[in-house]
Amino acid sequence: MEYTVQKLGSLAGVSTRTLRYYDEIGILKPARINSSGYRIYGQAEVDRLQQILFYRELGVSLDRIKEIVTAPSFDGAAALIEHREKLLEKKEQIELLIANVDKTIALTEGRMNMSNKEKFEGFKKKMIDENEEKYGKEIREKYGDDTVDKSNGKLQNMTKKQHDEVTALADQVTETLAVAFKTGDPAGELAQKAADLHKQWLCYYWNEYSKEAHAGLAQMYVDDERFTAYYDKAQPGTAEFLRDAIHIYTGMKK
Amino acid sequence: MEYTVQKLGSLAGVSTRTLRYYDEIGILKPARINSSGYRIYGQAEVDRLQQILFYRELGVSLDRIKEIVTAPSFDGAAALIEHREKLLEKKEQIELLIANVDKTIALTEGRMNMSNKEKFEGFKKKMIDENEEKYGKEIREKYGDDTVDKSNGKLQNMTKKQHDEVTALADQVTETLAVAFKTGDPAGELAQKAADLHKQWLCYYWNEYSKEAHAGLAQMYVDDERFTAYYDKAQPGTAEFLRDAIHIYTGMKK
DNA sequence: GATACACCTTCACGCAACGTCAATGTCAAT
DNA sequence: ATTGACATTGACGTTGCGTGAAGGTGTATC
């Protein structure tokens, strides 16, 4: 079976432009070119394209894919393991961003005050990280480990540790809440534990905790459909349940 | 206090190119231009740049940032909530990628066979999602909800559910393993539970489970430093501990 | 044989957010 | 007057294609 660009494109679900581009960068050349200059692909190319699309779906860059599919001896597994690392880093970075966004939202919604210094905390942390990644080796070689460690040192570890703690706490909240929700009792022990965990989680973000603000935030979880959707994702009604639990926990039930 | 590009740049940690670019796109114009054409920034511009960098760190596009910082009446909080949604989506997408990469790694390392259909499962899922997002409304209006739901329907829900289950399982493995590690006994009840959870987790990825392959994979966790680093992240020695537990669990301890 | 129409080709610009030259002008100190 | 650090405005490169434009080809129909 032979295919022109459009036939192959619709078969694999990619545009003709994509196929021409893959030809251009040498990642997928047609089996032959006919007398009119048309690209003609065969079965081997179909297979190869599937391979390419598979790795592409994994988020691998076309450059890397080229290495994988052109050199049969190339260690695809090692490349994937490395790629996995990058994905994990990206994920952590995004989690950090989400935490910071949450913080900012809580700030504006809760009328909390956050110093500029604090505002830039995550930002600076990232810069230190990147700096370390890029120049760490060179600087270490030039000035010795002590200097570098002193400048990055403890704050680095502390914020990293804090970050780990806070994500762990967030997971605990979700899990506890999920179990508590099944009991159906927002005043029950589990629900109150979830509320308490939620408070602890909040305290990573707020400089000053107040029952009023906590209760207000809980109400917002119900009022704002985007938050509701988040909490109700697993079990519809969870956001309301959490609000009730927190209202009881804070004694703000009117 | 007045600043030239480089002074402001080093103060805020951005390149001069970035400042020129921000001027070019009208997001941060200098307070004035001196007689030689130099850009001169004042305190107001410093503040504004900090604002810009703050939102940039949250991953907001410069276009969006422009709206936020130029229109004081613009609802920054709403923009952030929306942005948060996007981040969550990205995170989920990355988690899906990681799961697929894991699957592929397990496949190549474990010499398992995965049908092409299965290979493209995550890939297709994403395409359905995107298709739905882009054309869902139009198609629904044209052909009615039934047609669309039928085509996306159950498979969609099943894979989503499966994905949730498998990530939950992975978390359980990590948690159980962490607790078991403290007991120091790979033959103990907790360690064996961790091994069992690990097997269940594996079975989401492997079509056929074998004790040999399971034990072999466990050994790889120790031999490949990248896997070792992953498992040892919280507690050094965890990878070896898991291998021992799995070797006992599978009865493959030689 | 002419026409229509779908399909193919090769340029080549556009997207985000800058990095990185290149060519040239300016400021302060020696 | 020279040097060296700093400033300026272009303008191309990056990634993975989307989206025309301008023009040739294949085939069915009138």
Side-chain angles (χ1 to χ4, degrees), chain B:
Chain B
M1 184 65 174
E2 301 203 315
Y3 307 87
T4 62
V5 271
Q6 199 159 61
K7 291 206 179 151
L8 179 56
S10 58
L11 178 73
V14 301
S15 70
T16 61
R17 176 69 176 92
T18 298
L19 291 177
R20 293 201 307 96
Y21 181 64
Y22 286 177
D23 184 4
E24 186 186 332
I25 65 173
I27 199 175
L28 179 70
K29 299 243 173 234
R32 61 191 181 83
I33 309 274
N34 77 4
S35 57
S36 316
Y38 286 22
R39 290 174 178 81
I40 307 294
Y41 299 88
Q43 185 56 42
E45 284 71 35
V46 175
D47 293 347
R48 190 183 175 116
L49 177 56
Q50 290 196 319
Q51 247 202 306
I52 292 170
L53 294 182
F54 174 62
Y55 284 108
R56 189 182 75 166
E57 249 351 85
L58 297 181
V60 181
S61 74
L62 293 185
D63 251 21
R64 261 280 201 281
I65 293 179
K66 193 173 178 180
E67 291 176 346
I68 296 176
V69 296
T70 57
S73 64
F74 188 78
D75 191 349
L80 277 185
I81 290 179
E82 198 180 334
H83 182 60
R84 194 196 129 97
E85 290 294 309
K86 283 189 207 152
L87 287 176
L88 278 177
E89 275 175 30
K90 255 196 198 169
K91 189 187 151 192
E92 282 184 23
Q93 180 63 33
I94 288 183
E95 278 169 354
L96 186 68
L97 289 185
I98 291 176
N100 276 339
V101 170
D102 282 348
K103 194 168 181 169
T104 310
I105 291 174
L107 180 125
T108 53
E109 294 289 337
R111 296 160 302 279
M112 298 289 134
N113 65 339
M114 183 160 78
S115 70
N116 271 340
K117 199 183 166 198
E118 213 189 348
K119 258 191 188 171
F120 282 90
E121 192 177 284
F123 167 54
K124 278 181 185 154
K125 176 184 179 313
K126 200 192 149 205
M127 290 200 42
I128 292 174
D129 277 354
E130 288 177 352
N131 199 56
E132 170 76 11
E133 194 179 314
K134 279 188 198 149
Y135 308 112
K137 261 189 190 166
E138 281 172 52
I139 299 177
R140 275 181 199 283
E141 281 162 16
K142 273 188 193 154
Y143 302 107
D145 286 0
D146 287 346
T147 314
V148 178
D149 289 344
K150 213 180 289 169
S151 75
N152 290 354
K154 289 187 183 171
L155 180 66
Q156 191 62 19
N157 289 327
M158 284 212 35
T159 56
K160 165 67 176 154
K161 198 177 162 196
Q162 274 193 18
H163 172 248
D164 288 345
E165 282 168 5
V166 85
T167 52
L169 251 182
D171 287 345
Q172 276 184 56
V173 170
T174 309
E175 284 168 26
T176 311
L177 189 59
V179 181
F181 182 73
K182 286 179 187 159
T183 70
D185 178 18
E189 193 185 336
L190 268 169
Q192 288 307 298
K193 190 184 173 192
D196 186 57
L197 285 167
H198 186 259
K199 173 190 168 179
Q200 289 181 45
W201 174 75
L202 251 191
C203 287
Y204 274 89
Y205 297 134
W206 287 2
N207 293 329
E208 48 199 29
Y209 173 83
S210 81
K211 290 181 178 183
E212 290 77 11
H214 191 187
L217 187 67
Q219 182 60 44
M220 195 186 76
Y221 285 169
V222 175
D223 292 340
D224 188 310
E225 57 186 12
R226 284 165 290 215
F227 274 112
T228 312
Y230 175 69
Y231 279 96
D232 284 3
K233 199 168 58 180
Q235 310 263 1
T238 305
E240 276 192 64
F241 183 83
L242 176 60
R243 180 203 54 188
D244 293 339
I246 290 176
H247 278 189
I248 292 166
Y249 177 81
T250 57
M252 302 302 284
K253 189 162 189 176
K254 43 167 184 268

Side-chain angles (χ1 to χ4, degrees), chain A residues 3 19 23 28-33 38-42 45:
Chain A
Y3 307 87
L19 291 178
D23 183 5
L28 180 70
K29 299 243 176 236
R32 60 190 182 81
I33 307 274
Y38 287 21
R39 292 174 177 80
I40 307 293
Y41 299 89
E45 286 71 34

